Amino acid sequence: MRGTGAVLSMAIIPILLLFLLCAIKEVIPYSVHWKPTWPAYRVPIILPQSTHNLDKPEFVAEAKLEVSSPCGPQCHKVSPLPTYEEVKQYLSYETLYANGSLTETEVGIYVQRSETESRGRSRMKRQIYGYDSRFSIFGKDFLLNYPFSTSVKLSTGCTGTLVAEKHVLTAAHCVHDGKTYVKGAQKLRVGFLKPKVKDSSRATNTSSSAIPDKMKFQWIRVKRTHVPKGWIKGNANDIGMDYDYALLELKKPHKRKFMKIGVSPPAKHLPGGRIHFSGYDNDRPGNLVYRFCDVKDETYDLLYQQCDAQPGASGSGVYVRMWKRQQQKWERKIIGIFSGHQWVDMNGSPQDFNVAVRITPLKYAQICYWIKGNYVDCREG
């Protein structure tokens, strides 16, 4: 285990206290000069305790491009908090390697203490809510530039987001149906949009802004895939949707600018109460589709919204742009993963939402550890 030379005081604590200690460290007051600012969170430490081999999966499940759950916001809000042992179980994870081998890793959860401190029904296809507010992104000048360039396509049909030099964040159901790994998961590839041919000279009096550039996908193989046990054990039930995320490690660096992950702030602190994401919706083949919308409701683990989306957009990174006070600059961060669809009983009337899995302090600690390989670089989200 790597350290910095300083003595750390870490202790296992009950899950309720864990949630409380993961709260915002600083409260930034509103003023006439107020900017939507990234809050500072105390992030717990998640460390592997033991790893053992599992039987090789058979890769027989059909890839599902969406997931649904009947448990809405009120259902989640009245559910009891998980125990510490249950959270450890949910955050333990499986790792699938390119050669088909599979391991399971159990984890421990710790909190670093300072000297002054001693937690309806399902639907087969997502709806377009009224007027279709999605924007197809055309032209290499947009597609190849940040933030749209961070969106990638999975060979199983979903979307992913670049979150590090060799890592892609996506939805767990894009590689695992809750019971077993899907067909194509062993030879999973990630596609990057690139120009099909080099630009030829064009007449200066010809406008090409409305003419989409011809693009193609360049594919990179995935070296290994991490999936939390909360998804595998939950099988897309009330708990499972909370853990619908996975991290892919590529066999080589992608050499593009990526978007960092961050802890999801409360919806009321989001700029305009809105979220943004781009994905490869199936009804617009070959197109990257961008959208934004208001968050309608939230639980500790999920964001409920009505962003227009179709199958294929699953796994898209949900992001916001806020002020980074330490660096005195604006910064976009991934705060969630677009997951699926829910029918919600709102005062006796069914209403449908699209759902994103929030990156909580615990999930941030886990995903960051998967990326960095140590907890030292994952102290604040």
Side-chain angles (χ1 to χ4, degrees), residues 204-219:
T204 56
N205 61 349
T206 302
S207 173
S208 61
S209 59
I211 303 174
D213 289 302
K214 292 183 177 180
M215 307 291 285
K216 66 175 182 179
F217 285 105
Q218 183 179 34
W219 299 90

Side-chain angles (χ1 to χ4, degrees), residues 323-336:
W323 182 251
K324 188 74 171 177
R325 193 164 55 164
Q326 295 89 332
Q327 284 78 35
Q328 290 292 295
K329 67 176 184 179
W330 293 96
E331 185 176 19
R332 292 179 178 87
K333 289 185 181 181
I334 301 294
I335 63 166

Side-chain angles (χ1 to χ4, degrees), residues 112-178:
Q112 178 182 339
R113 298 184 178 183
S114 68
E115 293 181 359
T116 59
E117 294 174 332
S118 309
R119 148 102 170 126
R121 29 177 213 189
S122 61
R123 195 173 210 167
M124 292 305 295
K125 187 175 182 180
R126 292 196 197 104
Q127 292 291 315
I128 300 301
Y129 298 96
Y131 175 76
D132 190 347
S133 60
R134 297 173 298 164
F135 302 88
S136 291
I137 306 301
F138 292 119
K140 66 180 180 64
D141 291 340
F142 290 101
L143 287 168
L144 301 183
N145 287 332
Y146 187 85
F148 303 117
S149 59
T150 64
S151 295
V152 293
K153 186 176 180 65
L154 273 60
S155 55
T156 53
C158 290
T159 299
T161 306
L162 304 176
V163 292
E165 291 87 351
K166 294 175 63 177
H167 292 88
V168 176
L169 187 64
T170 189
H173 74 260
C174 297
V175 296
H176 195 290
D177 73 348

Side-chain angles (χ1 to χ4, degrees), residues 265-280:
K268 63 181 180 181
H269 293 165
L270 301 178
R274 292 175 177 169
I275 57 173
H276 308 250
F277 63 95
S278 302
Y280 292 97

Side-chain angles (χ1 to χ4, degrees), residues 65-67 126 129 158-159 161 170-174 241 244-245 275-279 281 291 303 305-318 334-341 353-358:
L65 300 187
E66 60 182 351
V67 64
R126 292 196 197 104
Y129 298 96
C158 290
T159 299
T161 306
T170 189
H173 74 260
C174 297
M241 205 168 198
D244 188 11
Y245 59 92
I275 57 173
H276 308 250
F277 63 95
S278 302
D281 300 50
R291 74 226 80 197
L303 291 172
Q305 33 77 19
Q306 291 182 328
C307 283
D308 293 327
Q310 291 291 311
S314 291
S316 301
V318 173
I334 301 294
I335 63 166
I337 304 94
F338 183 50
S339 176
H341 183 85
F353 289 96
N354 283 328
V355 184
V357 177
R358 298 178 68 175

Side-chain angles (χ1 to χ4, degrees), residues 47-240:
L47 292 176
Q49 300 297 296
S50 63
T51 299
H52 61 274
N53 295 322
L54 299 177
D55 294 336
K56 286 189 176 183
E58 297 181 356
F59 304 103
V60 295
E62 295 292 337
K64 295 182 179 179
L65 300 187
E66 60 182 351
V67 64
S68 60
S69 172
C71 184
Q74 296 307 316
C75 169
H76 278 271
K77 290 173 182 177
V78 299
S79 298
L81 283 173
T83 65
Y84 172 75
E85 291 300 324
E86 287 174 332
V87 172
K88 281 206 309 178
Q89 184 183 47
Y90 300 151
L91 291 175
S92 296
Y93 56 92
E94 289 187 3
T95 302
L96 175 67
Y97 295 86
N99 64 2
S101 62
L102 185 66
T103 62
E104 179 179 279
T105 301
E106 297 179 356
V107 302
I109 304 174
Y110 308 86
V111 167
Q112 178 182 339
R113 298 184 178 183
S114 68
E115 293 181 359
T116 59
E117 294 174 332
S118 309
R119 148 102 170 126
R121 29 177 213 189
S122 61
R123 195 173 210 167
M124 292 305 295
K125 187 175 182 180
R126 292 196 197 104
Q127 292 291 315
I128 300 301
Y129 298 96
Y131 175 76
D132 190 347
S133 60
R134 297 173 298 164
F135 302 88
S136 291
I137 306 301
F138 292 119
K140 66 180 180 64
D141 291 340
F142 290 101
L143 287 168
L144 301 183
N145 287 332
Y146 187 85
F148 303 117
S149 59
T150 64
S151 295
V152 293
K153 186 176 180 65
L154 273 60
S155 55
T156 53
C158 290
T159 299
T161 306
L162 304 176
V163 292
E165 291 87 351
K166 294 175 63 177
H167 292 88
V168 176
L169 187 64
T170 189
H173 74 260
C174 297
V175 296
H176 195 290
D177 73 348
K179 297 178 181 178
T180 187
Y181 289 88
V182 304
K183 297 176 181 178
Q186 180 180 351
K187 297 182 179 180
L188 189 62
R189 298 178 300 155
V190 172
F192 298 75
L193 267 183
K194 293 197 172 184
K196 184 173 290 187
V197 293
K198 293 184 178 180
D199 290 339
S200 58
S201 58
R202 293 172 177 171
T204 56
N205 61 349
T206 302
S207 173
S208 61
S209 59
I211 303 174
D213 289 302
K214 292 183 177 180
M215 307 291 285
K216 66 175 182 179
F217 285 105
Q218 183 179 34
W219 299 90
I220 298 179
R221 286 284 303 273
V222 172
K223 179 180 178 180
R224 57 182 173 181
T225 301
H226 298 298
V227 180
K229 296 293 286 186
W231 168 256
I232 296 172
K233 293 180 180 300
N235 192 25
N237 60 17
D238 300 350
I239 294 173

